[in-house]
Amino acid sequence: MSEFKWHELKSAKRRFCAMRLIDRVLDDLLAIDGRIDVVVWDTQDSRHSVEHRDDDKNFERMYFHLHKTLMLRRPLEAEWHLRPDERFGIDWRTLQECLHSVGSWRKYYEQTLLAEEFSVAQFHVKSLKQVSSCDLPLCQVADLFAGMAAYTRTHGGMAVWWQHCQAGQGELIDEATARRVSSADRERLPVICYFNERCKEKRLGVSLATHGYLFTPSPANPLNFWHYMPQHSSDQAPAKWRDGSRLPEGQGGDVNVT
């Protein structure tokens, strides 16, 4: 197997590969102070249910929110080298400039004479370069965790139902759920449950049963599944004109591994 992709997880071979990746992350990456932050958004909520929504522009904003937030959880003045998987239609240069601008903000101090001595940059985005995921294993790890997060969100508690079945409690769940399980689901659901059990074993604070999808109540934990919610009534995704061109900014209306 040259590359792992969540959407191709439809066989026992890829199921075992996913489980081994989970083991490497939980046993090795987190042991050296690694983090995985995943942002998930609902395309049907009040923010995203926008006519002619611009999905590329919306992805850029979510990418920005995710990285701005997670970078502040790392040491001040840290240098970042971002390596997103190849994706067309994204203005990566502007994203880098926006993150650089936010990271260069300096703290305010009451004692102005000492401000320059103590103020420091929050973080510095040194480089941002698209890569092919087949050449960078961490991109494949990001794809796995993003895939698990989105899958549990869109499959309405199916992973919890699967766990009940494995524990001999399948009769507690309606038969309609059982009829929706595809052959691909039968490979993916054991991966989700395996991941959930390993998180509990490691006490990583990731919850599956609470909402029926992967969720982290405390973002301070090294595995952070963040489900973005509209922040206020005017928080809307960007949109396009009817001809497909983008609206001006302010009109109308994503996994990181470190």
Side-chain angles (χ1 to χ4, degrees), residues 146-165:
M148 290 194 297
Y151 180 86
T152 59
R153 184 64 185 264
T154 58
H155 281 69
M158 190 177 284
V160 176
W161 169 82
W162 184 268
Q163 281 191 317
H164 285 308
C165 288

Side-chain angles (χ1 to χ4, degrees), residues 101-168:
S101 176
V102 171
S104 297
W105 178 84
R106 293 179 177 275
K107 289 186 175 181
Y108 172 78
Y109 290 88
E110 292 286 345
Q111 302 88 348
T112 55
L113 292 178
L114 300 177
E116 198 60 35
E117 180 179 351
F118 289 100
S119 60
V120 293
Q122 295 186 80
F123 56 82
H124 175 53
V125 181
K126 197 157 181 77
S127 68
L128 189 156
K129 179 182 178 182
Q130 290 190 81
V131 297
S132 174
S133 57
C134 64
D135 298 327
L136 197 64
L138 280 179
C139 277
Q140 299 175 45
V141 171
D143 183 85
L144 168 62
F145 280 78
M148 290 194 297
Y151 180 86
T152 59
R153 184 64 185 264
T154 58
H155 281 69
M158 190 177 284
V160 176
W161 169 82
W162 184 268
Q163 281 191 317
H164 285 308
C165 288
Q166 302 310 301

Side-chain angles (χ1 to χ4, degrees), residues 13 169 254:
K13 180 179 180 180
Q169 300 174 327
D254 174 321

